[in-house]
Amino acid sequence: MSQDNQLYEGKAKILYATDDPNILLTYFKDDATAFNAQKRGQIVGKGEVNCQVSAALFQYLEGKGIPTHYLDCPSPKEMRVRNVKIIPLEVVVRNIAAGSLCKQTGLPLGQVLSRPLVEFYYKKDELGDPLLTRDRLTLLNLATPDQINQLETNAREINQHLKTIFDDCGVTLVDFKLEFGLDAQNQLYLADEISPDTCRLWDKTETDPQKRVLDKDRFRQDLGQVEDAYQNIQDRVLNWMSRFS
Ligand code: TMP
Ligand code: ASP
């Protein structure tokens, strides 16, 4: 893709226009950031893993009746997607206490939640992506009350599907982040990516709190063997898809 078509460069992806105004091209980079880009680095092979894992999961979810922005992958690090307007929200689903939930509530790492928690964060780097209440979401006109309910329903349904897949792969789905977009008819689509960058994934056969980590926490916490963890998740997910979907 030429520079001329570039619409936007984010921390992990570059977005390009295509000849069709309804279709965009996403290029997945190896660049990695954490803590609102205070920590920067590269994870070799990450772009391809995140693109391929996301493509497989989007295709699976689409087959289960969840509309996604995914169209196809013209190359291993490139995904063609529907041109939707991204709602500036990070919809986080948590099955097990980790990360900011532990920091902000004191819940112990690894505590299984009696019901999955769905949270909304404002996608705004300059504010540090703050946690929002439903009233603040409405106040900021980020989504209507109906859309908020639909986001939560979709997020819970996606969680059920992803939990099943990862469980079969020998991986515990601790938590993950989703983004959604709207088309010109206000139809809601699952967008962005679902990958080791955006999920916490623990190897079920490991109890050691560092060894079990198969996601971006290896980079965030300098645990080493980051590339191996990403590759491991790609192998397990693509292998599962080839056997069961
Ligand atoms: P948190 O515990 O840091 O709030 O993260 C919850 C989940 O969201 C975790 O799976 C990682 C993912 N996440 C992102 O995808 N992007 C982000 O910028 C952050 C902070 C978290
Ligand atoms: N999205 C975060 C950042 O802004 C990275 C993360 O912790 O996932 O750098």
Side-chain angles (χ1 to χ4, degrees):
M1 268 291 153
S2 83
Q3 260 334 81
D4 299 346
N5 295 335
Q6 187 173 317
L7 297 174
Y8 171 78
E9 176 159 7
K11 286 175 276 192
K13 298 187 283 295
I14 306 174
L15 205 58
Y16 297 95
T18 70
D19 294 341
D20 183 338
N22 296 313
I23 297 176
L24 302 177
L25 185 85
T26 308
Y27 175 82
F28 287 71
K29 302 193 286 185
D30 285 353
D31 298 350
T33 65
F35 315 118
N36 207 359
Q38 287 176 67
K39 179 182 171 81
R40 290 177 179 274
Q42 282 249 319
I43 302 171
V44 177
K46 173 173 93 80
E48 183 167 337
V49 170
N50 287 0
C51 184
Q52 294 307 307
V53 169
S54 297
L57 296 174
F58 283 146
Q59 280 176 273
Y60 179 87
L61 292 169
E62 194 83 51
K64 296 290 178 189
I66 294 159
T68 78
H69 73 159
Y70 173 80
L71 294 171
D72 56 24
C73 290
S75 84
K77 291 176 160 200
E78 289 177 320
M79 185 185 289
R80 291 187 333 126
V81 298
R82 285 172 211 278
N83 186 0
V84 293
K85 193 167 185 292
I86 298 291
I87 303 171
L89 286 177
E90 301 200 337
V91 182
V92 170
V93 182
R94 301 179 190 273
N95 296 306
I96 292 175
S100 68
L101 180 65
C102 295
K103 263 198 218 101
Q104 293 169 7
T105 65
L107 279 175
L109 175 68
Q111 178 161 318
V112 177
L113 308 183
S114 54
R115 180 169 189 249
L117 191 63
V118 177
E119 300 175 323
F120 299 94
Y121 292 82
Y122 192 12
K123 203 172 137 60
K124 209 164 181 61
D125 284 343
E126 38 307 13
L127 299 178
D129 296 346
L131 177 64
L132 292 177
T133 59
R134 279 179 181 251
D135 285 347
R136 284 190 183 186
L137 270 159
T138 316
L139 174 76
L140 295 171
N141 275 324
L142 294 170
T144 63
D146 277 354
Q147 285 171 336
I148 300 171
N149 288 337
Q150 204 188 340
L151 289 170
E152 178 168 352
T153 303
N154 282 18
R156 289 190 183 279
E157 197 180 332
I158 292 164
N159 184 38
Q160 288 310 316
H161 291 302
L162 295 182
K163 264 204 309 195
T164 305
I165 298 170
F166 282 114
D167 199 54
D168 271 0
C169 292
V171 171
T172 302
L173 178 61
V174 175
D175 57 30
F176 59 96
K177 182 265 299 181
L178 300 172
E179 292 182 30
F180 293 85
L182 295 166
D183 71 5
Q185 287 74 43
N186 263 353
Q187 155 97 20
L188 192 68
Y189 289 89
L190 175 62
D192 195 51
E193 65 180 281
I194 306 175
S195 72
D197 265 16
T198 62
C199 302
R200 283 201 173 89
L201 304 164
W202 292 351
D203 187 335
K204 282 205 280 186
T205 63
E206 286 284 355
T207 47
D208 181 279
Q210 296 195 350
K211 282 193 199 152
R212 69 186 174 192
V213 175
L214 293 174
D215 58 64
K216 195 174 169 189
D217 273 350
R218 296 208 78 81
F219 170 78
R220 294 189 187 98
Q221 298 169 22
D222 293 319
L223 300 180
Q225 294 176 299
V226 187
E227 282 84 3
D228 291 349
Y230 275 69
Q231 202 58 55
N232 188 321
I233 290 298
Q234 169 165 294
D235 293 347
R236 292 193 204 208
V237 170
L238 297 191
N239 187 23
W240 187 89
M241 289 291 165
S242 67
R243 282 183 294 142
F244 294 105
S245 61

